[in-house]
Amino acid sequence: MDFIFIIGPSAVGKTTLAKGLYQHYNGVYIEQNMIPEFIIPEDVPDIGIYEEQLCWENVLIQLRFFHEKGLKNIVALDFDDIRTRELPIEFKGYDFITIKLVSSDPDQIKRQMEHRNENEGGLFVPDYVERANSVIIGRALLPNEVMIDVAGKTKEEVLNEVINVIDNFHPLKEYDYKLDDEHNYLSWVQSRGLV
């Protein structure tokens, strides 16, 4: 596989899965928040849009760089949910899969968020995570996207299920796809009005 994208609500297990896939496939691991720190110019009209756009473009450059160097199984995650709809456009013609992690048990991801908050810190918005999970579940699958329900499963079970899916997946390289409606997605950029 060229690229393995992982999306889903906060605390659903994206990072744990991504690290497991990275080790299993001996690939590359990229999180959007790995980009260098930068100062936003004072004259920027919308700081959120500017920051997210810069981060997204940086991730795209990194992904293509590693692919051009011949590396495979490039695992990427933690980009803004609205960017998910662009993946079938940006990576048409490549062997890629998007793993959409969700939970049919919203209380499970709330518990995982609470556990993470108490032990590792990080984002803690239980009400938002339930809404995010619901929006992501409700959205139609995009080209080369597979939904995995993590409810009631251990991280090892999720990892093994995803490996099995990837190993048996035949990605489409050609398909008809128009950019999906942005209102089917969420965004951490408040000015987009998609929260």
Side-chain angles (χ1 to χ4, degrees):
M1 195 69 63
D2 294 327
F3 301 101
I4 302 167
F5 301 112
I6 302 173
I7 66 146
S10 182
V12 77
K14 296 185 302 291
T15 299
T16 300
L17 173 62
K19 288 179 178 177
L21 293 173
Y22 159 68
Q23 292 171 344
H24 177 80
Y25 289 113
N26 298 311
V28 178
Y29 179 90
I30 298 174
E31 283 192 47
Q32 181 163 295
N33 65 8
M34 292 176 163
I35 71 161
E37 294 292 322
F38 57 90
I39 302 297
I40 297 173
E42 291 180 13
D43 61 345
V44 169
D46 189 318
I47 291 171
I49 293 283
Y50 179 87
E51 180 183 20
E52 191 279 330
Q53 182 70 32
L54 209 60
C55 291
W56 173 245
E57 290 177 13
N58 184 282
V59 166
L60 291 177
I61 289 167
Q62 289 182 67
L63 291 167
R64 292 191 172 108
F65 170 81
F66 285 114
H67 185 266
E68 288 168 9
K69 294 299 180 185
L71 296 167
K72 298 284 187 187
N73 300 309
I74 301 166
V75 180
L77 67 155
D78 270 0
F79 32 83
D80 201 11
D81 183 56
I82 193 172
R83 296 299 181 178
T84 304
R85 71 192 191 122
E86 297 177 36
L87 294 174
I89 293 173
E90 293 288 344
F91 296 95
K92 186 174 184 175
Y94 292 93
D95 286 330
F96 78 91
I97 186 171
T98 301
I99 302 295
K100 176 164 68 168
L101 288 186
V102 297
S103 179
S104 57
D105 176 7
D107 289 337
Q108 177 179 336
I109 49 178
K110 282 184 177 179
R111 287 190 303 273
Q112 288 172 195
M113 179 174 274
E114 288 168 5
H115 175 79
R116 185 178 69 183
N117 182 57
E118 292 169 4
N119 294 283
E120 303 163 22
L123 186 68
F124 184 68
V125 281
D127 292 336
Y128 177 76
V129 76
E130 186 171 358
R131 181 175 183 281
N133 185 58
S134 175
V135 168
I136 293 167
I137 286 175
R139 175 177 55 73
L141 291 175
L142 300 172
N144 292 336
E145 186 174 45
V146 176
M147 185 163 64
I148 303 291
D149 187 350
V150 303
K153 298 173 187 170
T154 66
K155 60 186 177 181
E156 292 81 12
E157 288 171 331
V158 172
L159 175 61
N160 289 332
E161 180 177 348
V162 172
I163 288 170
N164 185 54
V165 166
I166 292 170
D167 288 350
N168 293 289
F169 190 74
H170 302 289
L172 299 172
K173 289 190 175 184
E174 292 299 323
Y175 42 78
D176 291 324
Y177 170 74
K178 287 189 231 175
L179 200 58
D180 194 23
D181 186 337
E182 68 177 15
H183 293 96
N184 294 328
Y185 300 82
L186 301 170
S187 175
W188 58 261
V189 179
Q190 298 293 316
S191 62
R192 285 193 175 121
L194 302 173
V195 292

